[in-house]
Each structure stands twice: as C-alpha cells, then as structure tokens.
Amino acid sequence: MASWGEASESRLIGKRVTRLSGKDKVTGKAKYTFDINEPGMLYGRILRSETAHATVMGIDLSEAEALPGVKAVIPLIEVGNKLRYQGQEIAAVAAETDDIAKDAIRLIHVDLEELPHVVTEDDAMAEGAPQIREDWANNQSEPNVREDGDINTGFDEAAVEVEATYHTPVQTHVCLETHGHVAKWEDEQNLTVWASTQGVFGVRNDFAQHFELPANQVRVITEHMGGGFGSKFGPGIEGRTAVELARITGKAVKLMLTRKAEHLVAGNRPSMTQQVRAGATSDGRLIAYDMKGYGTGGISSGAGFTGPYVYHVPNSRAERVNVAVNAGNQRAMRAPGHPQGAFAMDSLMDELAEKLGMDPVEFRRINDPNEVRQAQYTLGAQEIGWHRRNSVPGSGTSVKKRGMGVGSGQWGGGGGRGTEARVTINADGTVEAVTGTQDIGTGIRTVIAMIVAEEFGLETTDVRVKVGDSQPGLPSGGSGGSQTTPSVAPVIKTAAAAAKQKLFERIAPLLDAPVGDLRVGTGTIYVVSDRTKTITWKQATGQLGMESISEGGTWEEDLRQNGAAGTQFAEVEIDTQTGAIRVIKIVAVQDCGLAINRLTTESQVNGGVIMGLGQAILEERFMDPVTGRMLNANLEDYKVPGTFEIPEIKSIVFDTHRKVTGVGEPPCIPTPGAIANAVYNAIGVRIRSLPITPDKILDALAEKA
Amino acid sequence: MPEKDKKQGTNISRRNFLKGVGTGTVAATVAPSVLIGSEKAADAQAGDAIANATIELTINGKSYQVEVEARTTLLTVLRDGIDTGGNNIDLTGAKLICDRGECGGCTVMVDGKSVYACMMLAMDAQGKQLTTVEGLADGDDLHPVQEAFIQHDALMCGFCTPGFIVSSAALLNENANPTLEEIKVGLSGNTCRCGTYPFIFDAVKTASGKV
C-alpha cells in the first residue's frame, strides 16, 4: 500500500518550505498572462452593454473600423438578439495600442430597443414582474425539495423554536488579474494561447473544439496566474474573442477584461435568502428544521446553498429555488454554497442555544457528529479564551463592546484521477517533474518539488518543476474544488518512486547489493545493510551515461483522503456609537489531512479566513433597480479587506492523518458565521443579513433601545 | 401601464444615449481622441489633436527615450512602452489592477517615495528617479524586503506582490522600524485578494532595520 511514511521519517514533507516561485514573484520577473508582450501584439477590447435588458436593433462598426490603428472590429451579438444583463458582449476591437482600442470602442454605435428589466430578487419575484426567462414561471426555477424524517413529528418534540430569515448578498470574486488571454496563431493550424485560467487543459480543449483544431495543435500556457477563486475555468467569450481577433489580424492579440467587466460578467457568488424554522429538545438536541430559500445566480441558475449544514437534524425539509435577474452569471466561488449556508446555520444554532440557555459550543458538541470538529471545538475555545466570553450578550456599559462567536465548516477535497505526470532523472543528476496542472497561487509547484526531493534525498530547489503548459501533453484537471494537491501529489509520488526504483536497478550492481537494500540519504544513495557502501546522487546518476530515467505515475487512492473539517472562533469589538465593527482575532482550526507544505498551507488558511471576513463585514454587489446597473463595479466601492481590517489570525493546521486533503476552499466557510455570532455576543442584537456593516449595527441597536 | 409609459417617454433620448453604449452620453458625442504618431495622424480632427512628445525617463538608473501621448500614463510606458530604438521597455512587474488609484498594484518609487503609476502621466515623470520592483535588487542580492517576503510566504498568486514590495520598501525608507499599526497604515494603499496580509506584516517586521 502506498504511503507517505511516518512524520519522523520525513525530511521535507510536512515542513515549512518557501515557494519556488518566490524569487520571480518578488522581483517582478514572474510573467502572468497580463504581462505577455509579443512582437507586434495588438490590444483587444470588448464593447459591453450598459443596458440590463434590450433587443439589439443595429450595430454600426464603420466609424471604429476607420480609426487609424484599428486592425479589426467584430460584432459579438447578432442584430435581433437580446442583451440580458449589463456587461454582455456586443462587439470587439483589436488595435495597435490599448488606448486606440479604447477610442475605437467609443466609436461603435449600437441601436437598442430597451426591454423592462429586474435586477433584484424582490423585484423579480414580485407579482406582475417582467418575465425575463422564457423557461421559468415568475422568474423562478422549479423548487428543489429535500426531506429527511418528518418535520411535524420533530416540531412536536421540540421544547424551543426559532424562526428567522437570513440573507447573504451577491459577492464578486475580484481576481486581481482579470480574466484574459494572449492569443497567437503560429500558422493556420497551430494556436498558442497564454490564459489566465485555473484549467489549462479545459481551455485547450474548448479552443480546439471551437476553432476545429486537433487538440495537440493548441498550446495553452499559464505560467503564473493572478487569482481565480473558482471563476476561471473555460475561456469564456473573451477568450474566444481574443483568438478570433488574432485569427483575423494574423497578429498576437492581448485581451484582458477591464476591472468593471470583471465585476459584471466574470462570475459571482449567488445570493441567499432563507426563512427557517427550527426546533431543539430541552436536552439540547436539534430535532426539526424547515427551510424555504432562494437565491440568484443572475440570468443563469446555480444559486445553491447548503442547509441544514454540518449539524445533525433528524427531521428536516429544505426547499430552494433559483431566481433569475438581469445580471451576469454566477460562477463557482470558493466553496460554492457553503459560506452562505454555514452563516445561516451557525446563526440559527446560536439562537437556539440561547433559547435553551446553553453555551453555543456545548450545543454544537451535542449536535455535531464529526469527531474531528469535536476535538477542534476544544482546541479553538482554548486558543481564543472562550471563558472570557461575554456571559450575557450585550451586557456592560462601555461604548466599545467585545464578543466571541463560533462557526463550523466541512469540505471534501479528496482529489481524483486524471493527472498524468513524468519524473525524469538525467545523467548529470538534474531532476525534472512535469505535469499539466497549474499553480494558481496555491503553491502546487513547490509541493511537487518537495515530494520529488523527499523521494530522491535532494533539496526542493534541485527539482525543476514544469506546470501550466499543455504542450508536453500531460493532462491534469482544473484547479477547483480543493482538488489540486490530492489529485496531483499521489501521481508525482508514485512517478518519483518508480524513477527511483529504476535508478536503484541501474546502480545495484555497482554497489554490489540487492536493489531492495538501497536507500536514499541526503544527496546520497547507500546500502542499508552496509553503510560504508555509499555513493553521491551525482555518482549514481552518472551511471546512466547518455540515457535518462523517465517515469509516469498513478493516482493511488491510499495517498489522499476526502473530508476537511474546520472550526473557527472570532472575537470582535463593536463601537456602539458609530457602529464600527473591528474583528480582533480569528482562531481557525482547519483539518488539512497531511499538509505537505505547512507554510503554504497556513497561507491558504489565512487567505480563506480573510475572504470570509470580507463576506462577513464588507462585500456586497449593489444593483440599481432603476437603471439595471451595478453601482459598485470597481475596487473603490466594492470593498475587499485591506490592511486595516486584518485581525490577528491564528491558523492552526490540524493534522488528523497522513493522507493528502485539499484545503483551498474550506477555511473561508466558518468565518462569517463565527463573526456574526461574535457580534451578537458583543451587543446582544442579531444581524441576520451580511455584510454586517455599521448602518445595520446602529439600526439594530436603535431598535433594541 | 407605467412600464410602457416609461419606455415610450424616454425612447428617443435613450436611443441617442445608446449610440455610445459602454461609454456614456458625453463620450458618445466626443470625436475620436488623438492618434498622433500613427500614419494617419493628419486625419484626426483639428482641435482634438494633442501633440505627442518624445520624453526621457530614468527608470532603475537607466535612461529611456520614448514617444508618448499627453494621456499616456507612467504605467503604460513601463508595461507597454516601446523606446525610440524600437525595444519593448517590458517592465511588467507593476500591474494595472483597479485602474483608478485604489489598489496599489502599480506602485513604483518616484524619487524614493511610493506613487501609483496608473495615476501619473508619463510626461510628469521626466527628470525624476523612477524605481520599479525590477530595480530593487542589487544584481543577485535581493532587497531585504524581497528576502523577507519569500521567507514568510508573504505572497500567494503574487499579482499584488510587486506593489506591496515597493510600498514596503518605501515605508522602510521613511520609517526604519515601524510598529504593526504603522505597517498597516503604510500599506493601506495596497490590496491583496488571496489574503496574504498577516505574512506581509511579518515580512515587513523582519525587513525592518535592514534597509
């Protein structure tokens, strides 16, 4: 059975190793798609609709075409078709400079017949609302209903009940490198595209299909990538447009989305509104849960969210619908559906606990079937100092009040098949590991190097890792679902083991020992039964002469495990005069399985917490019902966490076993619930709608008084 | 039917507005802006023409001659500029992220102080010492801030990193040993989406006193 070995035997695995791309990233040498400058490259831009709902009556490209420096102008929608949200593509240009492209966009004349729009869930669901999807009645999908047990029996047994409505708004991903591509046709049959993507091979296959090319004649490169968070899988219309503009002009074309377009069309986390009624027995058992909820993923569906979440409820009913609005489509965003559901569930848990007169942690202990989280509750409570918690929510007379809260989360992250890799040992002792995954900032490049270096007794920097290129034809899946490391690591491990075995076979005669007696040391290979027989790595590989050893690997299920449990504790301080909220500290206890690189794992957990904090207190897409436009499609009015919002974060990498589990998504799940519960504990008023902003806090305090 | 009234009542003006869809009413009525320097420069409408200029910029101690329009930003020159010899300047470390002086991704040093390169016109950068993230290291010897960022894993995707590095170096130029609060203030003009802030704070502390 394949295994990662014991922690005591590991020289690198499980340690803190600085990332291989570090030097390139701190010196500005790292080239992202946005940084590619090809000779004679043109700049592409897209004209987008400022109208939420309209029929295109005419498009006049002639003035734009006549502008000096403009090399191509193409329509992206046919006359007679409908535009269904602000930001939808109308036409595109390619020009010698980005400024000329911008000028040309202004010279495209579009004639529209405006149609009535709806951009908020309430407007879409209102009686007599304009119908914006022909396949849905009242702008709503058929309800999805899930039932377990019998809620009527459950409520009969309940000693306490809570009824409440929880809401989370639409969030946008805010990838700092916007979606984009640089496309270049090498000749009529060979296409190279630099893509800011989470899935090199998915993008390659899309282009191959769309432009009717053999897949091996499309090369997609993602050397470095500036943030995706679930929004960067397919090439999108902008990717196909870049390739088409390059085809027409015969030049390389760079087409990156503007910041505004990134907010409007490059995905978002759907909203959630849920009305829930739940009950618990007098001894603290959750017994009944009845929820009706809805959310919007824009004009598309996909507005799912979890509920009930994590905790065991024997009798439950959950009914969800998607609501269509005239806004850009949702895309997967870091743990899709989970942070919304977790916020509602953890808020509900605290409301029930209070009615029972129970400590929120104690109430969770009774109802959480997960053993890992049971241990995490103890550790997290200790670390935050739960005993210091405000015993009576809202008590005290000071202007600034502090409180603590807890939240939980659960994710899969077990990875899967579909990765091919090759580990090569050259006669000069150099080592290469190649696979078609991509490093989107999570540090998989370094993880690969660590695994190979551990296997060969080398240093991480001795291993040359090539990822983010479809050219070697070694596919790997997209980096989503926290699947990258658990999908890739087992294949690299077995490939390295196979290569090592081949090397041992070659040098066993030289060392006059059976192959099974050979071991790697640090930069050496020795005979375990006679340690005087030791040669250096380079002496060993020197035996290869003109040859190399190159081995593939297999995905061994024993090397990874599904299931990442997490618990977070938050401490906040509220200024009751201004409503200002400051998160003081977050303790994040995150199950990561075997964290191959503890340093980059901690970075991931910190990052998840901070994104969760943004959702909790800052982020919201504002739509204007009158104009149908997003009011804050920029980085000034759409608030993401900055230095002032960052609390003390204690990220605890909670190792539970020696198998690899992905951890990209889970750490953002428990944060909003923990913060919301801490706010309640501080001021004794519950905010059931994210983000928890000063105006909501002041309103709630005023209502209480 | 108020919906219908609304539509009919505004139909004509809306049609005019939509001629410039994507840019707003004002832009729709403005003729193409300048394209001086291109072969058909003379075609540009009189009154719209803004003279191009060949300027000299000193970037990372090296002198560059580059032709710019009045509207060309320093960031555009660094990233997309071609010097009068036909060479790409290709200093792509500074990034365009928010395009409105909000995120700090384009931060460079102008005479030792941090500046948003997306908010500075290239012409205004003449006669100043410009330092980009590419110019901080001394050959193979990294700047202490760069060393510390690697050591503390103060980066993930790395797209905001050049801006943070330059801001951190500029901060330490002014305050060799900042407190945590001073670091937060000093870097408040930079945004990271991966959430690397805690390790950035650690890195700046480590680099303190070494600049």
Side-chain angles (χ1 to χ4, degrees):
Chain A
M1 195 178 88
S3 128
W4 293 100
E6 293 305 312
S8 57
E9 299 166 1
S10 292
R11 201 168 45 88
L12 295 168
I13 305 277
K15 302 293 193 301
R16 305 171 73 85
V17 175
T18 57
R19 63 181 78 209
L20 288 182
S21 57
K23 191 173 178 188
D24 283 349
K25 287 180 175 176
V26 301
T27 54
K29 284 199 185 91
K31 291 286 183 190
Y32 297 75
T33 298
F34 181 49
D35 300 329
I36 299 298
N37 273 332
E38 282 289 299
M41 185 178 79
L42 303 177
Y43 294 78
R45 276 194 177 247
I46 293 176
L47 171 67
R48 297 176 179 281
S49 177
E50 279 298 322
T51 305
H53 200 193
T55 306
V56 179
M57 307 305 287
I59 306 175
D60 181 358
L61 306 175
S62 57
E63 256 191 82
E65 284 166 341
L67 185 70
V70 171
K71 299 298 177 190
V73 189
I74 57 172
L76 297 176
I77 188 168
E78 284 176 27
V79 170
N81 283 0
K82 281 180 187 171
L83 293 164
R84 301 201 294 169
Y85 50 90
Q86 182 200 16
Q88 195 172 339
E89 299 80 4
I90 295 173
V93 305
E96 283 172 354
T97 70
D98 193 35
D99 282 333
I100 296 174
K102 213 184 289 182
D103 293 337
I105 285 292
R106 295 188 176 112
L107 295 174
I108 298 171
H109 303 300
V110 184
D111 193 2
L112 298 181
E113 188 75 44
E114 192 168 332
L115 300 166
H117 61 249
V118 284
V119 295
T120 67
E121 299 92 308
D122 286 349
D123 284 357
M125 296 166 84
E127 211 170 303
Q131 300 296 297
I132 62 167
R133 270 184 71 144
E134 283 156 14
D135 53 338
W136 287 1
N138 304 316
N139 300 322
Q140 290 167 54
S141 66
E142 287 295 314
N144 170 302
V145 180
R146 286 183 69 173
E147 282 182 273
D148 199 6
D150 177 358
I151 51 169
N152 292 324
T153 320
F155 280 113
D156 287 346
E157 280 185 58
V160 297
E161 277 187 32
V162 166
E163 267 192 85
T165 301
Y166 303 101
H167 173 71
T168 61
V170 171
Q171 255 186 300
T172 63
H173 295 71
V174 191
C175 307
L176 292 195
E177 183 186 32
T178 59
H179 290 58
H181 304 76
V182 176
K184 179 187 169 191
W185 290 81
E186 310 289 346
D187 55 46
E188 280 183 8
Q189 285 294 311
N190 285 280
L191 173 66
T192 300
V193 182
W194 289 264
S196 184
T197 182
Q198 295 174 242
V200 164
F201 276 82
V203 170
R204 182 195 72 162
N205 294 343
D206 184 290
F207 284 141
Q209 198 179 3
H210 191 78
F211 291 94
E212 296 177 355
L213 294 169
N216 62 3
Q217 284 168 219
V218 180
R219 180 182 185 189
V220 173
I221 303 168
T222 307
E223 178 74 13
H224 297 287
M225 207 282 272
F229 313 111
S231 70
K232 285 183 178 168
F233 288 100
I237 293 167
E238 67 276 5
R240 291 178 182 176
T241 301
V243 174
E244 178 64 5
L245 289 169
R247 196 183 64 78
I248 294 169
T249 58
K251 301 265 181 122
V253 172
K254 181 192 284 188
L255 200 166
M256 306 299 295
L257 295 195
T258 62
R259 177 55 49 196
K260 183 176 177 182
E262 185 76 11
H263 281 290
L264 296 177
V265 303
N268 54 70
R269 186 192 291 286
S271 65
M272 174 204 75
T273 301
Q274 54 168 272
Q275 290 169 288
V276 55
R277 175 184 168 219
T281 60
S282 55
D283 59 349
R285 283 177 301 117
L286 266 174
I287 193 73
Y289 174 98
D290 186 14
M291 183 265 276
K292 272 183 91 162
Y294 59 87
T296 184
I299 199 73
S300 71
S301 52
F305 50 87
T306 57
Y309 192 58
V310 175
Y311 311 106
H312 177 66
V313 195
N315 307 292
S316 68
R317 184 177 188 283
E319 182 180 326
R320 303 174 185 82
V321 297
N322 275 264
V323 178
V325 301
N326 291 110
N329 292 337
Q330 65 84 27
R331 292 183 189 175
M333 183 166 173
R334 207 169 192 169
H338 284 239
Q340 303 97 296
F343 157 70
M345 192 72 198
D346 272 316
S347 299
L348 177 70
M349 290 295 281
D350 272 33
E351 298 205 50
L352 283 166
E354 181 164 45
K355 285 215 167 166
L356 287 164
M358 243 181 189
D359 179 288
V361 171
E362 195 48 41
F363 185 50
R364 281 169 176 77
R365 283 190 189 287
I366 295 169
N367 292 290
D368 192 337
N370 184 289
E371 283 177 22
V372 174
R373 263 192 311 277
Q374 289 287 345
Q376 291 177 338
Y377 290 132
T378 306
L379 183 57
Q382 247 169 26
E383 199 58 53
I384 196 90
W386 189 249
H387 63 279
R388 293 188 291 113
R389 181 174 172 270
N390 206 353
S391 54
V392 180
S395 61
T397 52
S398 59
V399 169
K400 289 185 178 178
K401 293 185 172 182
R402 288 196 176 196
M404 290 184 195
V406 60
S408 297
Q410 181 69 31
W411 193 252
R417 294 175 198 285
T419 293
E420 289 178 33
R422 191 147 285 279
V423 172
T424 302
I425 303 169
N426 297 310
D428 65 355
T430 57
V431 173
E432 258 180 26
V434 185
T435 181
T437 190
Q438 47 282 314
D439 194 335
I440 64 171
T442 56
I444 187 67
R445 204 181 249 112
T446 313
V447 162
I448 290 171
M450 288 171 73
I451 294 167
V452 175
E454 178 87 57
E455 200 68 27
F456 293 167
L458 301 174
E459 294 307 317
T460 312
T461 46
D462 294 333
V463 182
R464 186 157 170 249
V465 179
K466 285 165 79 176
V467 296
D469 190 343
S470 69
Q471 183 83 305
L474 293 171
S476 186
S479 291
S482 306
Q483 307 283 17
T484 307
T485 304
S487 299
V488 171
V491 183
I492 295 293
K493 162 87 177 163
T494 55
K500 183 173 76 175
Q501 180 67 19
K502 278 273 162 69
L503 182 65
F504 282 0
E505 285 166 13
R506 286 294 294 268
I507 60 169
L510 178 78
L511 290 169
D512 192 21
V515 171
D517 273 8
L518 301 191
R519 299 284 185 277
V520 296
T522 305
T524 60
I525 293 172
Y526 63 90
V527 179
V528 72
S529 54
D530 178 3
R531 298 197 64 147
T532 60
K533 292 180 177 174
T534 299
I535 57 173
T536 66
W537 173 259
K538 282 202 171 176
Q539 284 169 338
T541 60
Q543 298 301 308
L544 296 173
M546 296 299 285
E547 294 169 36
S548 298
I549 291 171
S550 196
E551 292 294 312
T554 53
W555 188 71
E556 297 276 353
E557 245 177 291
D558 297 335
L559 293 173
R560 42 56 78 189
Q561 185 168 307
N562 207 43
T567 301
Q568 292 180 21
F569 287 76
E571 182 171 15
V572 304
E573 183 178 87
I574 307 289
D575 185 322
T576 55
Q577 283 182 345
T578 64
I581 171 172
R582 193 159 73 92
V583 182
I584 304 285
K585 182 172 181 175
I586 304 265
V587 174
V589 194
Q590 184 59 55
D591 175 17
C592 305
L594 166 64
I596 291 185
N597 188 347
R598 260 191 131 71
L599 180 62
T600 53
T601 302
E602 277 179 20
S603 279
Q604 285 271 41
V605 178
N606 286 344
V609 167
I610 290 168
M611 198 170 266
L613 180 147
Q615 184 180 19
I617 68 170
L618 295 169
E619 296 180 38
E620 176 168 15
R621 180 184 77 181
F622 282 101
M623 298 300 295
D624 178 17
V626 178
T627 60
R629 295 180 187 173
M630 181 175 173
L631 293 172
N632 55 341
N634 58 62
L635 276 183
E636 194 171 348
D637 303 309
Y638 187 96
K639 302 284 186 198
V640 298
T643 57
F644 293 132
E645 281 80 38
I646 305 307
E648 179 190 349
I649 299 174
K650 174 90 179 174
S651 289
I652 301 175
V653 175
F654 196 74
D655 306 55
T656 51
H657 49 75
R658 299 280 293 168
K659 295 179 181 185
V660 176
T661 306
V663 75
E665 285 153 299
C668 76
I669 301 170
T671 326
I675 290 174
N677 286 335
V679 169
Y680 178 77
N681 183 240
I683 59 174
V685 203
R686 187 159 288 279
I687 316 287
R688 298 187 181 85
S689 158
L690 296 183
I692 300 172
T693 46
D695 57 320
K696 288 182 189 170
I697 288 171
L698 290 178
D699 281 352
L701 284 170
E703 211 167 293
K704 182 191 177 196
Chain B
M1 294 292 286
E3 197 56 53
K4 197 178 169 189
D5 289 346
K6 177 184 142 200
K7 190 178 153 190
Q8 286 179 342
T10 56
N11 209 21
I12 294 167
S13 62
R14 179 163 289 129
R15 279 193 170 215
N16 284 337
F17 166 74
L18 287 170
K19 284 193 168 185
V21 70
T23 55
T25 328
V26 177
T29 61
V30 173
S33 173
V34 256
L35 292 160
I36 311 295
S38 69
E39 55 207 348
K40 293 185 185 168
D43 293 347
Q45 289 178 26
D48 282 329
I50 302 165
N52 270 17
T54 299
I55 60 169
E56 186 176 330
L57 297 179
T58 309
I59 311 168
N60 302 330
K62 192 178 158 190
S63 175
Y64 295 85
Q65 300 255 329
V66 58
E67 190 175 283
V68 297
E69 295 177 42
R71 64 175 167 176
T72 307
T73 64
L74 172 59
L75 183 63
T76 298
V77 169
L78 295 174
R79 295 184 52 82
D80 300 333
I82 298 173
D83 69 15
T84 47
N87 304 307
N88 282 331
I89 293 174
D90 206 33
L91 292 167
T92 57
K95 306 288 191 263
L96 180 85
I97 297 175
C98 71
D99 203 7
R100 60 188 288 154
E102 188 62 33
C103 75
C106 61
T107 305
V108 298
M109 276 192 228
V110 177
D111 291 337
K113 290 196 187 301
S114 59
V115 165
Y116 290 157
C118 80
M119 300 294 281
M120 183 176 214
L121 293 172
M123 287 183 175
D124 290 339
Q126 294 176 89
K128 300 184 189 300
Q129 290 297 324
L130 308 173
T131 308
T132 70
V133 70
E134 290 92 343
L136 281 182
D138 182 6
D140 277 345
D141 291 338
L142 297 182
H143 186 283
V145 165
Q146 292 172 317
E147 291 279 9
F149 266 59
I150 297 173
Q151 181 196 332
H152 287 280
D153 202 43
L155 50 95
M156 292 180 76
C157 86
F159 205 70
C160 71
T161 307
F164 268 102
I165 295 268
V166 175
S167 292
S168 300
L171 166 66
L172 295 180
N173 280 348
E174 290 188 5
N175 180 354
N177 283 293
T179 63
L180 176 61
E181 278 312 300
E182 287 168 340
I183 293 170
K184 288 185 177 183
V185 172
L187 301 181
S188 60
N190 291 72
T191 299
C192 166
R193 185 53 160 167
C194 295
T196 57
Y197 296 105
F199 287 171
I200 289 176
F201 302 154
D202 291 347
V204 176
K205 269 184 246 165
T206 295
S208 294
K210 295 181 185 168
V211 174

